[in-house]
Amino acid sequence: MITADQLRTFTEQIFIAIGCSETDAHLAADVLVSADLRGVDSHGVARLPGYVRLYDNGRINPKPHMRVVHETPSTAVVDGDRGLGLIVGPWAMQVAIEKARIAGTGWVAVRNSNHFGIAGYHAMLATEHDMIGQAMTHAAPLVAPTFSLDKLLGTNPIAVAIPAATEPTFLADFASTAVAYGKLEILQRKGQDIPLGWAQNAEGQPTTDANAIRNGGALLPLGTDREHGSHKGYGLGAIVDIFSGVLSGANYGPWVPPFATAGFMQANEGVGEGTGHFFGAMRIDAFRPADEFKTHMDTWIQRFRQAKAVNGKQVLIPGDPERMMEAERLANGIPVVEPVVKSLEELGERFGVKL
């Protein structure tokens, strides 16, 4: 068990060691640790060695010059200058928020970036301004579309954050696949099998092998197979890829550069620039008075919480499990598995930073 403050300080110092400014390092560490606090361990400090490997391979610029390269009153395209997506994401979301202040809504496509952590972190930034936030990103091609043996899409998550008055923020943050690849990495570290429905092997058959992707297999879209709606997960992933890549000028489809996961370091870029994201901010009072809307969001949330549930279960609001986990981990610390601790200690030894 490691406290959030300890993890944040360590992570910040590692980012400073590879050349990030103190401000950027602090923000990047906050994005990663927020994932661990919310129980999204696949996108937390376990990813830190991967960002360092990207830096070692010349794929991350620790001091990027982020800039708007095209804009209208309500839209913009941002070039991330190969910066950490953990930094580029919040910067671009702020552009969307400022556009929304003026035009009512703001939409920002991003190119030339990298992995940006959990999508929900960025979407939540808009709710601080009485706005609805949206964030999406494409990712390395590890996913086979329905009926495909080829890996053409990433896990391609979507997050939407909607503020309420007294109730907590509604936050839907989910991959367009049956599961994020990071969940396989967690089971790989533990030496455990994956559930059926997460992945297929090189022949397109269901598998429980946590290493299937490394051996020619693929992740499956949300729904797993055609009979259970995988074409819908495929459709969601395709939308995210087009918004994040084709619209922004980033790479897309099988050309999206991979994260620094073991066995997936080599980028196959060629149709655009780096990794892409897409952000949106909608000012609530562009539709109806914000206080009135948030009061009705309270009513919506409360009614769903009161829903009659099956025995032993409770109807939850998107964002509830993460909030409960955050409260627990702030109080008791964050559990970090031994292989991740070892990888962090190795980073610490390299850069002279104590965990």
Side-chain angles (χ1 to χ4, degrees):
M1 304 294 285
I2 305 176
T3 69
D5 285 344
Q6 289 171 324
L7 281 180
R8 192 177 288 108
T9 298
F10 175 83
T11 302
E12 184 174 336
Q13 290 176 327
I14 296 296
F15 281 130
I16 289 173
I18 66 172
C20 295
S21 69
E22 289 188 8
T23 299
D24 285 354
H26 180 78
L27 175 56
D30 190 57
V31 178
L32 289 187
V33 175
S34 72
D36 285 307
L37 281 172
R38 296 174 67 82
V40 192
D41 299 336
S42 57
H43 285 59
V45 294
R47 293 277 185 179
L48 184 57
Y51 289 108
V52 174
R53 286 198 295 274
L54 288 179
Y55 166 77
D56 288 340
N57 281 266
R59 287 179 48 200
I60 280 182
N61 175 6
K63 288 187 169 63
H65 172 56
M66 298 169 286
R67 64 195 189 281
V68 173
V69 294
H70 178 78
E71 65 180 325
T72 73
S74 63
T75 67
V77 176
V78 165
D79 187 301
D81 195 26
R82 295 279 176 162
L84 281 165
L86 307 169
I87 303 304
V88 177
W91 194 90
M93 189 61 181
Q94 190 59 44
V95 174
I97 290 168
E98 293 305 318
K99 293 285 184 184
R101 287 190 203 279
I102 297 168
T105 65
W107 305 97
V108 176
V110 179
R111 67 183 183 222
N112 210 12
S113 183
N114 281 283
H115 190 278
F116 77 177
I118 54 172
Y121 184 97
H122 311 293
M124 289 276 285
L125 295 175
T127 64
E128 301 168 10
H129 306 277
D130 278 350
M131 297 181 187
I132 294 171
Q134 173 187 297
M136 59 178 73
T137 185
H138 59 193
L142 303 178
V143 183
T146 302
F147 302 136
S148 175
L149 291 177
D150 290 335
K151 296 187 282 288
L152 298 175
L153 290 171
T155 52
N156 296 8
I158 301 170
V160 177
I162 306 172
T166 60
E167 294 289 344
T169 296
F170 173 106
L171 176 61
D173 181 359
F174 57 93
S176 56
T177 47
V179 69
Y181 181 70
K183 298 292 178 62
L184 272 74
E185 291 180 297
I186 291 172
L187 294 180
Q188 288 167 7
R189 289 191 286 266
K190 294 179 178 180
Q192 298 176 2
D193 287 338
I194 60 173
L196 280 173
W198 284 14
Q200 65 184 28
N201 62 21
E203 290 73 43
Q205 300 301 312
T207 182
T208 61
D209 181 8
N211 293 292
I213 316 304
R214 298 180 178 183
N215 298 321
L219 288 175
L220 292 170
L222 191 63
T224 298
D225 55 36
R226 179 64 174 79
E227 289 70 25
H228 294 91
S230 66
H231 57 294
K232 299 177 183 179
Y234 167 30
L236 284 172
I239 290 168
V240 172
D241 191 43
I242 292 166
F243 277 39
S244 299
V246 182
L247 191 60
S248 70
N251 291 286
Y252 49 82
W255 296 283
V256 176
F259 189 68
T261 307
F264 301 111
M265 178 59 77
Q266 296 303 312
N268 186 32
E269 302 182 60
V271 294
E273 297 181 75
T275 296
H277 322 303
F278 190 80
F279 301 99
M282 296 185 288
R283 211 173 69 210
I284 292 169
D285 65 6
F287 299 89
R288 67 186 299 190
D291 289 344
E292 181 181 288
F293 169 84
K294 291 193 292 184
T295 297
H296 280 280
M297 273 304 298
D298 280 354
T299 302
W300 190 97
I301 290 170
Q302 290 159 7
R303 179 60 187 90
F304 275 71
R305 290 195 194 284
Q306 295 163 3
K308 186 177 181 180
V310 298
N311 287 338
K313 300 294 182 181
Q314 178 186 357
V315 177
L316 300 175
I317 305 301
D320 279 351
E322 293 83 2
R323 275 187 293 274
M324 291 186 283
M325 183 64 74
E326 183 173 19
E328 177 184 324
R329 290 187 170 186
L330 280 172
N332 302 315
I334 297 169
V336 185
V337 296
E338 187 59 34
V340 173
V341 172
K342 182 178 179 182
S343 69
L344 295 179
E345 288 176 338
E346 289 172 353
L347 279 184
E349 290 174 5
R350 170 181 169 181
F351 293 109
V353 179
K354 184 174 177 59
L355 179 62

